[in-house]
Amino acid sequence: MSHRSGSLLLLLLVMFAPLSASAAPGLAAITSTPNAEGGETYSLSIQVLFLMTALTLLPGALLMMTSFARIVIVLAILRQALGTQNTPSNQIMVGLALFLTIFIMMPVFQQVYDQGLVPFMEEQATATEALQRASLPVRDFMMGQTRESDLQLFARIGNFGDFENADDVPFSVLLPAFATSELKTGFQIGFLIFIPFLIIDLVVASVLMSMGMMMLSPLIISLPFKIMLFVLIDGWALLFGTLASSFQV
């Protein structure tokens, strides 16, 4: 398997056109054939079945083939470090991660559109050729964010041997290696974010202990200080800027 192995997300983008404007005349989504009893038997087009199957895999592609996983991990660790329980809520965190992912991935999506979808819709390339062209930007993005050690790990597990260049890396190796690298990077960024808030908790706990107020939860006292510190340093802007810049190669 080479760079011709496209991602599921790109496969959806390329397959939209055959289901609409570029489909052959008379090719319906549902066809009917007479049966022996005088009735009719209905069947779905293979393209519709393929699209329905691909749509079920779209959430997984969004989670594991974009910047989404790293962002949502960092936001979850930040909320834990602040000690604000469910604030921001899970819906807000997922929304923030989703729109920041769109912002980060927009150059890649634009290349996918220009190199793959536009030639296909203008009938300058077949579906296979369009898929091959469209897969290259996403593949380059994933390769740029994947550690070489993770690639070697899954290549060794799968008995693939050494790869001479990036084009030789099969997608079955690139995807788990990219996911592993994203988890590592997300936890590394989260660790650096957690340290200042942990220091505040330790200081507050030490002060309360020295004052003999052992029954008072340090979280009640440290929470306002952590929120104030995060707001004063413009933490959201710094966090989002750091996350966006972490994907630049």
Side-chain angles (χ1 to χ4, degrees):
M1 187 182 301
S2 61
H3 64 271
R4 295 183 179 181
S5 301
S7 65
L8 296 176
L9 179 61
L10 301 175
L11 190 58
L12 284 176
L13 295 175
V14 175
M15 287 303 296
F16 280 146
L19 294 174
S20 55
S22 299
L27 181 60
I30 301 179
T31 58
S32 62
T33 56
N35 54 30
E37 300 177 356
E40 292 185 343
T41 302
Y42 296 92
S43 60
L44 290 175
S45 169
I46 187 64
Q47 288 182 323
V48 175
L49 292 176
F50 184 81
L51 176 62
M52 293 172 61
T53 303
L55 284 175
T56 61
L57 300 175
L58 182 60
L62 175 64
L63 291 176
M64 306 314 301
M65 297 172 59
T66 65
S67 58
F68 183 88
R70 182 189 306 186
I71 296 171
V72 78
I73 288 173
V74 172
L75 291 178
I77 294 178
L78 171 64
R79 186 175 66 179
Q80 185 71 24
L82 286 172
T84 53
Q85 302 299 325
N86 294 323
T87 303
S89 63
N90 291 333
Q91 292 85 349
I92 293 177
M93 290 178 56
V94 172
L96 289 172
L98 178 60
F99 286 108
L100 188 57
T101 297
I102 294 175
F103 171 77
I104 294 172
M105 299 295 296
M106 187 55 65
V108 179
F109 292 155
Q110 187 64 43
Q111 294 179 26
V112 170
Y113 179 79
D114 294 336
Q115 300 178 16
L117 193 57
V118 170
F120 178 75
M121 297 180 65
E122 295 178 353
E123 299 183 354
Q124 298 177 358
T126 64
T128 304
E129 294 173 347
L131 179 60
Q132 178 181 348
R133 298 176 186 177
S135 65
L136 294 179
V138 174
R139 183 183 177 87
D140 292 341
F141 169 80
M142 296 175 66
M143 285 295 301
Q145 304 299 323
T146 304
R147 292 177 171 84
E148 185 176 353
S149 58
D150 294 327
L151 285 174
Q152 295 175 352
L153 170 64
F154 287 98
R156 184 173 65 255
I157 295 175
N159 295 322
F160 286 95
D162 297 330
F163 304 114
E164 296 182 0
N165 50 61
D167 294 336
D168 295 335
V169 179
F171 190 74
S172 59
V173 174
L174 177 59
L175 181 56
F178 172 77
T180 304
S181 294
E182 287 297 284
L183 290 174
K184 289 181 180 179
T185 305
F187 276 97
Q188 287 175 351
I189 297 176
F191 171 77
L192 296 177
I193 293 175
F194 207 110
I195 293 301
F197 300 109
L198 178 61
I199 294 176
I200 294 177
D201 288 333
L202 292 175
V203 171
V204 171
S206 300
V207 172
L208 292 178
M209 184 72 69
S210 63
M211 296 175 61
M213 304 173 66
M214 294 176 292
M215 301 301 296
L216 181 62
S217 174
L219 181 61
I220 300 177
I221 306 300
S222 63
L223 180 59
F225 288 99
K226 291 190 289 187
I227 294 177
M228 179 181 64
L229 173 65
F230 191 70
V231 172
L232 289 178
I233 65 174
D234 198 7
W236 289 114
L238 290 175
L239 178 64
F240 291 154
T242 300
L243 285 172
S245 62
S246 67
F247 288 95
Q248 297 179 358
V249 294

